[in-house]
Structures are given as structure tokens and as C-alpha cells.
Amino acid sequence: NSSSMKEFILLSLSENQGVQKIYFVVFLLFYTLTVAGNLMVLTVTSSRHLNSPMYFFLCHLSFVDICYSSVTAPQMISGFLVENNTITFAGCIGQLFGVHFFGCTEIFILTAMAYDRCVAICRPLHYPALMSRRLCSCMMGVSWAGGFLHSTLQTLPIALLPFCGPNRVAHYFCDVHPLLHLACADTRAEGLAAVANSGVISLSCFLILLTSYVVILVSLRGQTLAGWHKALSTCGSHITVVILFFGPTTFVYIRPSSDLSRDRSVAVFYTLITPMLNPLIYTLQNGEVKAAMRKLCRR
């Protein structure tokens, strides 16, 4: 009976009190920057002047990043100040759902953005016709629905497991592997299903992304140096984000986990660092966004 477990205790990133105080300040700063940066991008990209598909996707990406880091960061940051960072059973399952929902949606949005860049560079004349409003909305709908489906499939089996023993989650947020370790049942099937589910999604999206970059590079063969420069600067920011996000997530989710402490430090990367860097990476690369930012600041 799962109701026998009323709450879990989440681990901190460090056992040392002094280090925890430093972490509290650092991560609070990171989280504030994440929310502020992405809110700025949200405000700018939803303005009337920037109405190309790229900004439509960027707007959604920023929204997802705010939600994604908000699922884990506040709990982790407040945990640095208390002896035992507890979370209720329902809160834990909710957090698990949120992490996978927003994380997976982010993966799909990054994939949609790669397709958008690919069309923009390889078929510039047909771009407005190919990337219609309707197609963009469709891609966005599929991204959100896909994220929802993925996280439901990840969360349901775990919510139904019996938890009766130790309640210390070996992570700073509730995730699949740390919770499977605590269940009072044989969880090998659930573990494999989780790896397969996350693995298939991250690997297939990563392959789509790689393919889109290959197509872009092939299409640039006859281009001038200026053409190359323009295309690579457009894709550069996207490639950076993809490496920063996919590297760590694939590392954590694609293998049956044995070393949870290593997963913990890697997870900081994709739950907090990447969402914080996204606005920087995209705005530094983009003249239009920078101009719109300046306008916003003047206002």
C-alpha cells in the first residue's frame, strides 16, 4: 500500500553546512537569473515585430525553461537551509511528473527548432510557405502532447509502486531511478521501461537533430564564405544548447543507473544551468532579439 509512505526526504548536494550556505546563495542567484532571463526573452519574442517561426519557438522554449527549473530549484534551494528537506508523497510524484513533462517538451521544441533552421537555410525562398503558422502551431501542440504522454508513462508506474521502507531519496529531486531504489518490489521491469522510454526519445531526437545539421552542411557546399558564416551563426546557438542539454540528460537516462551521486551532479546541469544559459546563448547570437531587448530596457 503506497499510502504507508507519507513523505520522502530529499538529499542535499552537500552534507557540509558551510558548503550548503554557499550553495544556497549560488543556486538562488542561478534560479533568479534563469527566471529573469527567460521572462525577458518571453516578453521580447511575444512582441508583434518578431513574428517569424523562430521567435514563436523561442518564446515557448523560454516558458518551458522557467517551468522546468521551477519544478526542482525552489525545493533544492530551500533544502539548503533545513536539516531535513522533506517532500510529501504527492509532491514527490508531482515533481517527477513536472521534470519529465517540461524536460521532454524541451527536447521536442529543440527538435522543432532544428527543423525550422534547416528549412530556413536550405529552402530560404520557400521558407514562409513551408513554415506556416499552422505547421508551427501543430509542431508546438505535438511537443506539449508528447511531453505529457512521456511523463505520464514515466510517472504512473512509479506512483503505483509500494513504498514501505527507507524514505531517503538519493537525489535533490524526485526522479525515476532514485525512487525505484526505494520501492518494496522488484522494479527491474519499470527500470527498463523508464530507460527505454527516455532513451528512445532522447536518442531519436538527437539523431533528427544531427541529420538536420548534416543536411545544412551539405546544402552549404557551394556557398560563399558569407553564406557559411550566416548559416553557422544561426545554427551555432542551437548546437550549443543541444550539446548542453542532451549530453547530460542522455548520460543520466539512457543507462540503468548505478551511481546516483554522479547523476546528481550531472542533473544540476540540465535542470538549472542550461535553462539559465538558453536566453544568453540565443540573444547574444541574434541581432533582432538584442535590438528588441534594448527597446524593452529603454521602456
Side-chain angles (χ1 to χ4, degrees):
N1 171 10
S2 68
S3 64
S4 60
M5 186 65 71
K6 290 279 186 283
E7 58 176 25
F8 291 107
I9 297 171
L10 295 171
L11 270 195
S12 183
L13 285 174
S14 162
E15 295 302 303
N16 179 323
Q17 292 279 292
V19 175
Q20 284 196 2
K21 301 256 185 322
I22 297 168
Y23 277 166
F24 172 76
V25 175
V26 171
F27 286 112
L28 184 62
L29 179 69
F30 280 1
Y31 179 60
T32 312
L33 286 173
T34 304
V35 174
N38 282 298
L39 272 177
M40 269 186 97
V41 174
L42 253 179
T43 316
V44 167
T45 48
S46 52
S47 75
R48 286 188 312 279
H49 313 296
L50 305 177
N51 51 11
S52 79
M54 185 170 115
Y55 301 116
F56 173 72
F57 291 130
L58 205 49
C59 183
H60 277 265
L61 185 72
S62 285
F63 178 69
V64 168
D65 274 335
I66 292 173
C67 299
Y68 187 46
S69 56
S70 298
V71 173
T72 55
Q75 177 84 38
M76 168 175 89
I77 294 164
S78 60
F80 289 130
L81 299 178
V82 293
E83 185 93 354
N84 274 338
N85 187 11
T86 55
I87 186 168
T88 61
F89 183 79
C92 186
I93 297 299
Q95 196 178 44
L96 171 67
F97 183 85
V99 166
H100 283 270
F101 178 41
F102 296 115
C104 186
T105 305
E106 172 140 353
I107 286 180
F108 289 143
I109 293 176
L110 288 171
T111 312
M113 288 170 89
Y115 176 75
D116 170 64
R117 294 299 79 210
C118 198
V119 175
I121 290 166
C122 303
R123 307 282 298 279
L125 298 175
H126 301 113
Y127 178 70
L130 286 171
M131 291 300 288
S132 63
R133 262 267 141 84
R134 194 156 153 241
L135 177 69
C136 292
S137 303
C138 255
M139 287 167 96
M140 214 57 247
V142 168
S143 299
W144 284 101
F148 184 80
L149 180 68
H150 161 77
S151 65
T152 305
L153 290 174
Q154 289 286 49
T155 310
L156 260 183
I158 292 192
L160 298 172
L161 283 172
F163 293 93
C164 50
N167 66 342
R168 289 186 78 81
V169 179
H171 208 321
Y172 63 86
F173 63 89
C174 290
D175 205 357
V176 176
H177 297 309
L179 287 175
L180 287 177
H181 279 275
L182 297 179
C184 321
D186 180 13
T187 59
R188 273 174 303 194
E190 284 88 350
L192 279 173
V195 169
N197 184 343
S198 296
V200 165
I201 289 175
S202 31
L203 264 186
S204 50
C205 288
F206 193 58
L207 289 174
I208 295 171
L209 289 162
L210 276 182
T211 313
S212 74
Y213 294 136
V214 171
V215 170
I216 286 172
L217 288 172
V218 170
S219 76
L220 289 175
R221 269 189 324 209
Q223 285 277 2
T224 57
L225 203 60
W228 267 93
H229 183 256
K230 185 171 184 240
L232 290 178
S233 74
T234 313
C235 290
S237 51
H238 192 253
I239 293 172
T240 318
V241 169
V242 165
I243 291 168
L244 284 175
F245 190 75
F246 273 88
T249 42
T250 311
F251 171 80
V252 169
Y253 291 112
I254 212 140
R255 52 193 181 70
S257 89
S258 46
D259 182 6
L260 289 172
S261 66
R262 208 171 42 192
D263 286 5
R264 258 204 317 277
S265 33
V266 173
V268 171
F269 231 86
Y270 59 83
T271 55
L272 241 186
I273 311 281
T274 316
M276 177 178 75
L277 293 178
N278 273 357
L280 275 175
I281 292 167
Y282 280 108
T283 46
L284 290 177
Q285 288 280 358
N286 190 308
E288 281 180 319
V289 176
K290 271 193 283 198
M293 283 266 189
R294 277 198 290 273
K295 243 191 229 150
L296 182 74
C297 293
R298 270 194 228 113
R299 246 189 288 163

